[in-house]
Amino acid sequence: RILSSLGLAQKAGCIASGEYAVEKAVKGGLASLVIVAEDASDNTKKKFSDMCKYYQVPFACYSQKELLGHGIGKEFRASLAVLDGGFAKAIEKQLDNK
């Protein structure tokens, strides 16, 4: 369910994916939720976790790089940011229920 929600958000143009784009979205105040793959490097997880804490953006570790990328119709992705508040809330709710 979460991956299909991410797919919908991607189709609506509400996803920034890849390390550089996610970092830019968080620092630019555009990100409503950041998701990092559970199999991403510890360094990547810490970097985004710390950044999200500082900029007060919700942060979650979820799924594998392959699945995250596939969910948004790309190759593997270690990190992505949901830019739309509505999508972010819906996905957060699903993350809480898993």
Side-chain angles (χ1 to χ4, degrees):
R1 277 191 53 104
I2 294 169
L3 291 173
S4 64
S5 297
L6 288 171
L8 282 173
Q10 172 70 24
K11 281 191 182 82
C14 300
I15 295 278
S17 66
E19 203 162 318
Y20 176 73
V22 172
E23 189 172 333
K24 206 169 135 190
V26 171
K27 290 183 175 171
L30 299 172
S32 299
L33 170 67
V34 171
I35 298 176
V36 174
E38 287 167 353
D39 61 346
S41 72
D42 291 338
N43 198 11
T44 301
K45 285 190 224 171
K46 181 173 173 18
K47 172 184 170 178
F48 283 113
S49 169
D50 292 348
M51 190 189 306
C52 288
K53 236 182 233 122
Y54 182 79
Y55 287 95
Q56 297 177 333
V57 175
F59 171 82
C61 280
Y62 174 72
S63 192
Q64 267 41 67
K65 289 189 263 195
E66 293 281 331
L67 293 169
L68 274 184
H70 187 73
I72 60 168
K74 305 236 192 287
E75 287 204 14
F76 59 90
R77 284 287 184 270
S79 58
L80 48 87
V82 181
L83 307 179
D84 179 79
F87 276 118
K89 275 199 179 58
I91 293 167
E92 267 188 276
K93 209 173 266 162
Q94 292 169 9
L95 284 165
D96 290 342
N97 293 335
K98 77 165 175 93

